[in-house]
Amino acid sequence: MTSSPVILVLSALGMETALRIKADLPDATIHGLETRVEGADVNFNNFGETIRQHYQSGHAVIALCAAGITIRSLASVLGNKGAEPPVLAVADDGSAVVPLLGGTTGVNVLARRIAAILETVPAITTSGELRFGTCLLNPPPEFQLQNPEDAKTFIADLLAGKTVRIEGEAPWLEEARLPLDDNGELRILVTSSNVTPQKGELVFQLKTAAIEITASPKHKRGRLAVVGLGPGDPDFMIPAVKRELQRAEDILGYETYVRMAGHFRPDQTVHMTDNREEMRRARHAFELAATGRSVVMISSGDPGVFAMAAAVVETLHESDNPSWHAVELEILPGVSAAFAAASRSGALLGHDFCVLSLSDNLKPWDIVEKRIALAAEADLAMAFYNPISKPRPWQLPRAIEILRKYRNADTPIVLGRNIGRTAETIRVITLAELTPEQVDMRTVILVGSSLTRSFDRTDGGKWVYTPRWYGTKPEG
Ligand code: SAH
């Protein structure tokens, strides 16, 4: 999923076009070249730096200038195709819309939408779009399309710009470049149950699973457990989770976590999933559980902390399928990264604290900044999850800058990396010493409050703690 679109404007004429686009894309922000453009939401001075920064932080970019300038400016950062957000060049008079990058993140959908706003035709060049029709209708032999008569309209709708959501696992569609969207109007349903296809839906029935279901005892109630593995070390996993992993018939999760969970028996089915598609994964879990199976959804740490539990409960809330509501749903907690890191180094979270994700993939960056500033002002200790990644290189430096406004240079910082896994490291430093280079996605950052202090331990490391009291130390 990409963040809100950024419209980059270089001329007064471009500004008029930008305003027309924004009227229909209200979550977009208009960034204007300071010397040429008036009335933008934000100003910039250097086009190249600005476009690279937004691209790398995952924002869809709509550049109101020549395709050549756009591509040349991004050339140095085009390495990672998988993560690229949509990038489009739009003629400043609104006459042409050219999707350039982001074939897998919906650039053509966005191009069609903008072209519709500007009453022009998008310059779609992706031949894969023309191919998905054949690919869609040719699943592997164990799947059967239930309603081939609806396929023609379905594909015409796709070509006309409708988006689609996939429920269940459709491996043959992975390369299909479908315009996927979790809230898509159209639906591709892959199921082992017998369902009547609805309007705007293609239903593929999984034949082998259907046989298994008839053989399983009738009225068995399905179960879905959303479990936290803890940070990695099996000793940090609660026994209820261990039992749940034993009883599971289906295990769903991101590959790294599935491997972390240990070995599974041949009679257990493991479904490795992509980390980004949370809602789709949650729907898949309910579909399996609704057939009477015992399903486990795996997260690292605690499943309720920046992980799958919320997506699962939200999916149930949004569903009016009685068989999903009948599933026995349980969330089993785990030791979250912040607690594991704090415990390794003493008790930095011993007084009031807050937990923040620095990722602006699912929330606007302004909110992240505001929360850091307010938490710092309130003198809370803090734990930062998702602190930095390749597409988000500038956010952590900005967070550090804000912290330094409110906290002394000698404030203790704990950097816990790969806690509970091989290659675990724990470092106690000060806010003055903290640099982004010491941090990666496998690190949790703990930030002390004004009362957090540290002292040497005999093994060469340091203990860090925040006292239980605040203000004056109580007697005794
Ligand atoms: N549900 C997880 C968090 C998932 S968000 C939990 O409760 O721990 C992913 C972020 O968690 C990472 O970017 C990192 O900041 C942190 N994290 C997860 N496991 C970690 C570990 N073993 N050591 C250090 N940080 C970890």
Side-chain angles (χ1 to χ4, degrees):
M1 192 179 292
T2 49
S3 317
S4 51
V6 166
I7 308 178
L8 299 179
V9 185
L10 300 176
S11 66
L13 181 59
M15 189 63 198
E16 285 174 29
T17 307
L19 289 170
R20 284 168 70 195
I21 298 174
K22 187 171 162 147
D24 262 271
L25 285 180
D27 62 333
T29 34
I30 301 183
H31 297 239
L33 182 62
E34 190 153 31
T35 48
R36 298 265 173 82
V37 176
E38 276 180 24
D41 300 319
V42 184
N43 289 323
F44 64 84
N45 286 311
N46 183 317
F47 177 74
E49 269 171 28
T50 307
I51 192 170
R52 284 191 289 277
Q53 190 188 79
H54 290 302
Y55 174 82
Q56 286 181 310
S57 57
H59 287 276
V61 175
I62 303 161
L64 280 149
C65 61
I69 301 175
T70 311
I71 281 292
R72 244 191 299 282
S73 307
L74 288 174
S76 59
V77 292
L78 289 183
N80 182 3
K81 183 156 187 282
E84 80 188 6
V87 177
L88 302 96
V90 175
D92 62 1
D93 64 359
S95 60
V97 178
V98 188
L100 295 170
L101 301 166
T104 55
T105 48
V107 72
N108 289 335
V109 176
L110 192 56
R112 282 202 189 87
R113 186 155 168 206
I114 294 172
I117 298 169
L118 300 175
E119 292 168 6
T120 181
V121 179
I124 307 266
T125 54
T126 335
S127 61
E129 289 255 332
L130 309 171
R131 279 204 307 264
F132 61 64
T134 0
C135 172
L136 238 183
L137 305 178
N138 284 295
E142 66 270 29
F143 297 87
Q144 188 173 357
L145 177 59
Q146 296 300 295
N147 52 333
E149 67 282 5
D150 296 332
K152 201 171 150 200
T153 316
F154 192 92
I155 289 168
D157 282 348
L158 281 179
L159 288 167
K162 287 196 179 167
T163 53
V164 60
R165 57 189 207 276
I166 300 183
E167 293 181 19
E169 277 209 325
W172 75 97
L173 292 180
E174 265 160 26
E175 301 297 322
R177 299 193 187 186
L178 291 167
L180 296 179
D181 182 338
D182 276 337
N183 303 314
E185 256 179 275
L186 303 174
R187 177 164 95 140
I188 293 173
L189 178 63
V190 186
T191 175
S192 32
S193 330
N194 237 329
V195 297
T196 313
Q198 306 294 315
K199 197 167 173 275
E201 219 176 41
L202 287 186
V203 178
F204 294 90
Q205 193 173 11
L206 181 59
K207 294 186 235 164
T208 44
I211 294 159
E212 274 170 39
I213 290 151
T214 15
S216 78
K218 282 205 172 151
H219 305 320
K220 188 181 155 210
R221 191 175 171 203
R223 177 172 168 82
L224 172 56
V226 188
V227 308
L229 300 177
D233 185 337
D235 281 352
F236 279 19
M237 194 190 290
I238 69 166
V241 170
K242 290 187 178 169
R243 278 197 298 276
E244 200 66 46
L245 292 171
Q246 286 300 316
R247 77 190 268 193
E249 290 167 286
D250 292 277
I251 297 103
L252 276 86
Y254 179 46
E255 186 170 350
T256 315
Y257 304 147
V258 170
R259 295 200 192 289
M260 212 164 90
H263 298 289
F264 293 101
R265 300 182 307 268
D267 62 305
Q268 296 180 299
T269 311
V270 175
H271 309 259
M272 306 275 199
T273 54
D274 186 316
N275 205 15
R276 286 164 298 181
E277 297 281 345
E278 288 193 350
M279 300 299 276
R280 182 152 31 124
R281 213 189 314 164
R283 288 194 291 266
H284 184 200
F286 276 110
E287 241 148 43
L288 287 167
T291 65
R293 294 175 73 83
S294 189
V295 181
V296 166
M297 170 82 84
I298 293 177
S299 290
S300 82
D302 183 274
V305 178
F306 311 127
M308 281 306 297
V312 167
V313 181
E314 187 178 351
T315 298
L316 185 62
H317 188 189
E318 283 176 356
S319 162
D320 50 13
N321 185 337
S323 66
W324 289 17
H325 286 269
V327 164
E328 189 187 348
L329 173 65
E330 195 169 355
I331 323 288
L332 296 174
V335 177
S336 195
F339 302 133
S343 69
R344 291 284 205 241
S345 51
L348 187 143
L349 304 176
H351 194 80
D352 297 348
F353 65 90
C354 73
V355 169
L356 294 170
S357 166
L358 294 196
S359 168
D360 57 351
N361 287 340
L362 298 172
K363 64 185 163 192
W365 176 252
D366 317 354
I367 290 292
V368 183
E369 287 204 3
K370 186 171 173 188
R371 288 182 179 169
I372 298 171
L374 291 176
E377 195 183 342
D379 202 17
L380 293 167
M382 288 177 232
F384 291 161
Y385 285 64
N386 300 314
I388 197 164
S389 70
K390 271 200 194 126
R392 296 186 289 107
W394 55 265
Q395 286 84 337
L396 177 60
R398 181 74 194 115
I400 297 173
E401 210 177 293
I402 299 169
L403 286 177
R404 288 194 177 133
K405 280 196 205 150
Y406 295 90
R407 295 279 153 96
N408 289 336
D410 61 357
T411 302
I413 301 283
V414 172
L415 299 180
R417 182 165 189 270
N418 280 323
I419 302 294
R421 305 177 188 171
T422 42
E424 165 174 327
T425 57
I426 193 110
R427 299 179 62 190
V428 179
I429 57 170
T430 63
L431 181 54
E433 290 163 345
L434 176 59
T435 59
E437 294 71 42
Q438 297 159 295
V439 177
D440 65 9
M441 265 309 265
R442 294 160 174 208
T443 311
V444 63
I445 306 180
L446 307 182
V447 180
S449 74
S450 66
L451 288 183
T452 305
R453 65 269 313 257
S454 74
F455 60 97
D456 292 340
R457 25 201 286 185
T458 51
D459 64 4
K462 279 186 186 315
W463 287 117
V464 192
Y465 73 102
T466 308
R468 296 264 286 124
W469 48 270
Y470 197 85
T472 35
K473 184 174 170 129
E475 303 261 325

